Amino acid sequence: MHDSSAVRASNSASARLLEIFDRLLAAYGRQGWWPGSGGFETIAGAILTQSAAWSNVERALDRLRAAKALAPDAMLALDESDLAELIRPSGYYNSKARKLIAFCRMVEEDFGGELNSLLSQEPEELRDRLLATYGIGPETADDIVLYAAGAPTFVVDAYTRRLFGRLGIKPERDEYEAWRSMFMSHLPRDAQLYNEYHALIVRHAKISCMKQPACGACVLSDACVAANGAGSGAA
Ligand code: SF4
């Protein structure tokens, strides 16, 4: 591809991604994810939501709040088994208790217990630090960078892959970093935009682009490769 063709293709991908955002926003409005919640609660939620429905995470967070354990020092004061019992509603509670403790230890040992010192690092530095922490993979790290630190990084989850795979907008390699890079290289580095976009993707994937998609009422149907492909259903 010549340079000018590459630039046109890149501009067109940017325009498509922004148009999809605009359509989803027009259809669903602002989603108001994690408004005003404290940083640590958001982080605990990001860890607890691994393989769990959000309603169960909320039950676990309620129990942590009632036990006054929603801070790194308070959580470290608990026995691991007691912490596991508190977060039982979120599932995989023994493993998640270990992950929460590993995160809290990192904050205590490397940042003097000051969560803001961790979260105020440069976004990529913060992301690397999180990825080096036990139990934090790329999706959880990006949840924390975006929703707790308010810094620009694009969260890629199964809903994102399903929706954009069906729309025919996907990277050459089906790998987390390739998906993240596709969004971040074609969209402005804007935490508010990424925050809202991810929330809208989840909303659309839950009520329209489900495993069995409801294409008839979908606001993206005219732009969807899977819905319009010759004889193909959505992937
Ligand atoms: S048209 Fe169907 S497959 Fe395509 S985005 Fe909409 S619901 Fe998903």
Side-chain angles (χ1 to χ4, degrees), residues 178-198:
W179 278 96
R180 176 177 177 260
S181 166
M182 180 188 81
F183 285 103
M184 293 184 69
S185 60
H186 291 112
L187 290 171
R189 296 277 164 124
D190 179 339
Q192 276 303 107
L193 172 66
Y194 294 175
N195 177 326
E196 198 64 57
Y197 210 151
H198 179 62

Side-chain angles (χ1 to χ4, degrees), residues 163 166-167 204 208-209 213-215 218 220-221 224 227 234:
L163 171 59
R166 288 169 171 173
L167 291 172
H204 188 62
S208 192
C209 201
C215 301
C218 176
L220 304 176
S221 59
C224 179

